């Protein structure tokens, strides 16, 4: 048994740790403990609860307001691992600079990033978004529809890849073409090798990664090996500092195929926790 004197000696050290890492403890509490408890009390998932909140409070067909409503939920109710408003502005800025026509998103989750990307795409662009968890994909599909997507102008293919067309209150025919979104359900490592033959993606000139961080490097190399990156393609990868993707960053900086920089920011909905988005520019050289 530890004596009181020894316990008192360690007390300042423990207090210092609690103060220094208090924001991480709050994250653990909100993102894990609260969610675990509410899942069991309500019988629904955090993602479903978030969608019900958005459904009740957001303006249908207004993507900006839908994202704002998600943000309100995440700040005041429960934490979701969405890109969030601060890093979202980085994504919007890079997207505006590049104006890509063929976009690939890895990690649809609840559809937050999909709506963020889709509202910034030029007419005629196409967004392919991949989600490995069917439960999350079911929520994302509802969010995409709520934001103003329609199936009417796109062939639906199989049941594993619902497709949507972006609308903003005007008829599609009056806009001269519109950005389209295809939601593909399946593990990224299984979907990526078949993107060209099954989904018609010749190559992507913009990729947004926001799925499992340990999968970033594997999926980047899959995109390379299947020649799915257009020359000059931009790759944005979220959460490369926290929880972090060190092997991905090391590869991007040393392989000679990319110009790489990291946009410093904070973790979504936790301004005191440092994070960042990596921006890679594919040169195609070895």
């Amino acid at each position: 048994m530890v004596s009181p004197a020894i316990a008192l000696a360690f007390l300042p050290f423990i207090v210092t740790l609690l103060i220094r890492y208090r924001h991480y403890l709050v994250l653990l509490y909100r993102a894990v403990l609260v969610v675990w408890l509410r899942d069991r009390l309500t019988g629904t998932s955090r993602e479903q609860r978030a969608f019900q909140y958005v459904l009740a409070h957001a303006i249908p067909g207004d993507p900006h307001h839908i994202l704002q409503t998600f943000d309100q939920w995440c700040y005041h109710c429960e934490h979701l691992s969405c890109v969030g408003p601060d890093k979202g502005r980085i994504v919007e800025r890079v997207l505006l600079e590049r104006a890509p026509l063929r976009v690939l998103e890895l990690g649809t989750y609840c559809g937050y990033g999909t709506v963020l990307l889709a509202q910034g795409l030029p007419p005629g662009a196409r967004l392919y978004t991949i989600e490995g968890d069917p439960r999350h994909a079911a929520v994302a599909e509802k969010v995409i529809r709520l934001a103003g997507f329609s199936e009417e102008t796109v062939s639906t293919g199989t049941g594993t890849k619902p497709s949507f067309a972006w609308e903003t209150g005007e008829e599609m025919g009056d806009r001269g073409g519109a950005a389209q979104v295809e939601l593909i359900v399946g593990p990224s490592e299984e979907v990526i090798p078949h993107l060209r033959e099954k989904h018609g993606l010749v190559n992507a000139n913009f990729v947004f990664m926001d799925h499992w961080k340990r999968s970033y490097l594997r999926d980047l190399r899959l995109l390379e090996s299947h020649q799915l990156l257009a020359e000059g393609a931009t790759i944005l990868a979220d959460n490369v500092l926290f929880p972090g993707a060190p092997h991905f960053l090391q590869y991007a900086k040393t392989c000679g195929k990319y110009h790489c920089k990291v946009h410093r920011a904070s973790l979504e909905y936790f301004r005191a926790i440092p994070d960042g988005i990596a921006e890679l520019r594919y040169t195609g050289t070895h």
Side-chain angles (χ1 to χ4, degrees), residues 133-196:
D133 190 325
R135 296 168 299 178
H136 295 165
V139 173
E141 183 177 354
K142 297 173 186 176
V143 170
I144 292 168
R145 292 181 187 279
L146 188 67
F149 288 84
S150 168
E151 287 184 297
E152 295 177 355
T153 62
V154 187
S155 59
T156 57
T158 67
T160 59
K161 55 164 196 169
S163 302
F164 310 87
W166 178 245
E167 295 180 335
T168 56
E170 299 176 86
E171 292 297 327
M172 295 286 291
D174 295 337
R175 299 184 61 202
Q180 297 177 345
V181 177
E182 184 173 309
L183 172 59
I184 306 168
V185 184
S188 57
E189 70 273 21
E190 296 180 9
V191 173
I192 289 173
H194 303 288
L195 280 173
R196 181 175 288 112

